[in-house]
Amino acid sequence: MNYINFMLLFFLLTGCKDNSNVNSIAQNSSIKSNYQRTELNDSLLKYVKFNSDTIALLNAKVFDGYGNPAKENQTLLIINGYFHSIGLSSEIIPPHNAREIDLEGKTIIPGIVGVHNHLHIPRFPFVGEIAAKLYLAAGVTTIQTCGSASPFKEVELAQKIEDGKAIGPQIYPSGPYFTGEGGNQNMIIPKNEKQIRDTIQFWTNRGVKWFKVYRHTNPNDLAIIIDEAHKQNAKVTGHLCSVTFEQASNLGIDGIEHGFNSTSDFRTNKSFGICDGSREYIDELSIDSEEVKTLQRLMIENDVYLTSTLAIFESSIPQRGYVDKRALKVMSPFLINQYKELRKRYDSLMPNSNLRENRLQRIMKFEYQFYKMGGTLVAGVDARRHVVPGFGDQRNFELLKEAGFSTEEAIKIMTSNGAKILSESKVGSIDIGKKADFVILNGEIEENIGEIEYVFKSGYGIDPILLLKEVEGKFGIQ
């Protein structure tokens, strides 16, 4: 405990009513931090509203990201991009050199940690520069890309952001996708074990820590992928089909994407290691049945996390698949026309189909049950169609609330749980010693995230309006 905190605690415990001595200590001391943040390139400072080394946020309502109820009237002292002190505004007195920001009537949440947040969309192998700005403007301060169509470019962008030469969230880049026979020809379809191991070693040597397997990956290849990735201190997640959740969990996979929608454990007439069989289970199987719970317990026992991607599934439901008005401002004419054509098709289907709506409710129930049983549930946007990076992450929050999660639980899923599966101890929550990655909301957070006033990353207060204005009409430019 440093001298200043000790003296504050002494006066509080001794019941001292006269705070003049406490004020004197705080106001006449320039508190120093053990941390140093990366300096931003001068060209990026145009996005930054608050750039002081020492910042005091006063009178805020704070959700810490751990699932605890919000705390009122909080002061947060940030030094060199890290949280130094957090507590009641009546108990923490900022040092004389602090830039003070009064947040009465405003809410702070941790920066969102998105763990299915691509830097590509269909027909566009890399949209990284624009997507990075969209993610950050929407309060997403850390992403894991969950499969890459342009891994060299992802690694390069991640490094530029880390070095302060580009603006965006902290990026955990992925290697190229692995799939299997019959899968996408743009992905790696392994020829042999050596190719798998060589590929993983090549990308881990370049800083990649994540690999994603896709639907046609067979169990034998998956076992090799997991084994080599773990040897190289990397992790594996998957959008599964050929491999069941049970098989993947027993093989040691780290995570599974899309939840109930990608299970193949309950398919009838499924062949071993083949993406086939009937999917009637998706509409008929009881989510609270013992066979579903047994599978979820196995995942939990094997420490396999589950990624929720509700926003992208919702976009395929005729009754729901409407574009966010904010997204229209940043979408290219090509993507807007694509959406209009999709909407025409959906409108023709609306009177006759509730099938996908019912599936969404079952996917939600599967995720809620997994979480309540003790599973690690995380979230990501899987941006495509008309679901835009960042805005889609915010929509995930609303859908998690619809699924039955409390505000505190939804925030935890989207922040500290994401940090947990990334093994990233410095982000995802509001706590002393953590990076000052957080979002200031204008008002309360209830059924939706609401209006973002500022996004802080490493203690830099960024104006989201400036980021959004710069990318108007540019997302998905041909």
Side-chain angles (χ1 to χ4, degrees):
M1 181 180 296
N2 63 36
Y3 177 71
I4 293 171
N5 288 337
F6 173 79
M7 291 301 294
L8 288 171
L9 181 62
F10 172 79
F11 285 116
L12 290 171
L13 291 177
T14 55
C16 178
K17 302 297 183 183
D18 180 2
N19 286 328
S20 59
N21 289 331
V22 178
N23 287 334
S24 175
I25 291 169
Q27 295 297 336
N28 294 311
S29 300
S30 293
I31 303 174
K32 294 184 178 180
S33 170
N34 294 324
Y35 302 106
Q36 292 296 324
R37 61 178 174 175
T38 300
E39 292 293 325
L40 292 182
N41 188 287
D42 288 346
S43 64
L44 305 181
L45 295 178
K46 62 185 177 182
Y47 305 114
V48 177
K49 175 72 173 178
F50 301 104
N51 190 23
S52 302
D53 291 336
T54 305
I55 295 174
L57 308 171
L58 313 177
N59 306 313
K61 179 176 182 177
V62 178
F63 287 90
D64 62 13
Y66 295 121
N68 298 315
K71 293 182 178 180
E72 305 277 356
N73 301 317
Q74 297 291 292
T75 284
L76 301 90
L77 182 61
I78 300 164
I79 301 177
N80 292 336
Y82 288 79
F83 290 113
H84 182 276
S85 304
I86 302 171
L88 285 170
S89 294
S90 60
E91 297 176 0
I92 293 184
I93 302 173
H96 68 86
N97 62 330
R99 170 71 184 272
E100 295 188 9
I101 307 170
D102 189 354
L103 298 184
E104 187 171 357
K106 303 184 190 301
T107 303
I108 289 177
I109 64 171
I112 295 169
V113 181
V115 292
H116 195 126
N117 288 46
H118 296 309
L119 296 177
H120 67 272
I121 56 175
R123 300 183 67 164
F124 298 89
F126 187 70
V127 291
E129 287 86 358
I130 303 298
K133 291 175 181 175
L134 287 169
Y135 282 128
L136 194 59
V140 183
T141 54
T142 303
I143 64 169
Q144 185 260 93
T145 60
C146 202
S148 176
S150 302
F152 282 111
K153 291 184 177 180
E154 273 196 15
V155 170
E156 181 183 17
L157 179 60
Q159 191 62 55
K160 286 173 68 177
I161 291 173
E162 184 178 341
D163 292 342
K165 297 176 181 177
I167 199 80
Q170 179 180 4
I171 296 174
Y172 283 77
S174 303
Y177 290 82
F178 285 99
T179 188
E181 207 172 309
N184 190 320
Q185 296 296 310
N186 293 324
M187 300 177 182
I188 294 174
I189 300 175
K191 298 176 183 177
N192 51 48
E193 178 176 342
K194 183 177 186 304
Q195 183 193 19
I196 293 173
R197 295 189 185 276
D198 287 350
T199 299
I200 290 173
Q201 290 172 27
F202 177 88
W203 287 108
T204 53
N205 286 339
R206 281 151 185 81
V208 163
K209 294 294 185 184
W210 283 87
F211 295 91
K212 182 179 179 181
V213 298
Y214 206 59
R215 293 164 49 83
H216 291 274
T217 301
N218 67 61
N220 294 332
D221 285 348
L222 179 59
I224 298 166
I225 291 166
I226 292 170
D227 178 66
E228 187 60 38
H230 288 177
K231 283 182 180 178
Q232 304 302 325
N233 196 31
K235 294 184 179 182
V236 179
T237 188
H239 179 165
L240 303 180
C241 180
S242 297
V243 180
T244 66
F245 282 23
E246 179 182 6
Q247 290 169 333
S249 297
N250 285 328
L251 287 171
I253 200 167
D254 297 285
I256 297 174
E257 308 299 309
H258 306 299
F260 190 58
N261 192 45
S262 67
T263 53
S264 59
D265 300 70
F266 311 111
R267 291 190 182 209
T268 55
N269 303 315
K270 183 186 182 308
S271 308
F272 176 85
I274 304 294
C275 184
D276 65 358
S278 173
R279 292 195 80 211
E280 73 274 1
Y281 78 90
I282 198 80
D283 302 309
E284 298 175 3
L285 183 65
S286 175
I287 300 300
D288 58 4
S289 65
E290 188 55 34
E291 58 184 324
V292 172
K293 289 182 178 179
T294 296
L295 176 61
Q296 291 179 326
R297 278 193 289 269
L298 174 68
M299 293 173 64
I300 294 166
E301 289 166 2
N302 285 274
D303 202 23
V304 179
Y305 71 82
L306 187 69
T307 303
S308 173
T309 56
L310 295 175
I312 193 60
F313 188 88
E314 183 193 43
S315 71
S316 70
I317 303 173
Q319 295 89 338
R320 286 177 175 256
Y322 292 96
V323 70
D324 186 316
K325 290 180 180 179
R326 300 171 299 172
L328 287 173
K329 292 183 179 180
V330 301
M331 289 165 62
S332 68
F334 172 81
L335 290 185
I336 291 173
N337 288 333
Q338 192 179 67
Y339 165 71
K340 288 179 179 178
E341 290 299 315
L342 181 68
R343 193 62 253 167
K344 285 180 186 177
R345 182 156 60 87
Y346 282 178
D347 289 344
S348 69
L349 296 172
M350 278 179 63
N352 304 312
S353 176
N354 286 314
L355 180 67
R356 295 193 71 81
E357 172 65 33
N358 293 335
R359 286 181 181 176
L360 175 64
Q361 299 303 320
R362 292 163 62 75
I363 291 168
M364 287 176 169
K365 186 173 181 179
F366 184 90
E367 293 175 1
Y368 185 83
Q369 180 170 283
F370 177 78
Y371 179 90
K372 290 297 185 180
M373 289 173 63
T376 300
L377 185 67
V378 295
V381 60
D382 193 14
R384 50 196 163 94
R385 298 192 188 106
H386 48 280
V387 180
V388 170
F391 298 145
D393 293 273
Q394 292 182 9
R395 181 59 182 158
N396 277 339
F397 174 84
E398 297 169 17
L399 293 170
L400 287 169
K401 291 284 303 213
E402 183 182 332
F405 293 100
S406 68
T407 297
E408 294 85 353
E409 289 172 331
I411 293 172
K412 179 181 179 181
I413 290 164
M414 296 180 65
T415 59
S416 66
N417 274 9
K420 174 184 175 182
I421 69 108
L422 293 177
S423 301
E424 175 52 82
S425 63
K426 294 298 183 184
V427 304
S429 52
I430 309 292
D431 207 349
I432 293 171
K434 302 257 181 158
K435 282 177 64 178
D437 289 5
F438 61 94
V439 184
I440 297 176
L441 306 176
N442 191 5
E444 299 284 337
I445 178 170
E446 292 300 338
E447 298 310 308
N448 56 60
I449 286 178
E451 179 187 351
I452 291 181
E453 194 158 295
Y454 295 107
V455 178
F456 276 73
K457 181 171 178 276
S458 296
Y460 292 105
I462 296 162
D463 188 339
I465 294 175
L466 297 177
L467 288 173
L468 293 174
K469 188 167 185 175
E470 191 168 285
V471 299
E472 283 184 5
K474 295 181 180 178
F475 183 64
I477 282 184
Q478 289 183 297

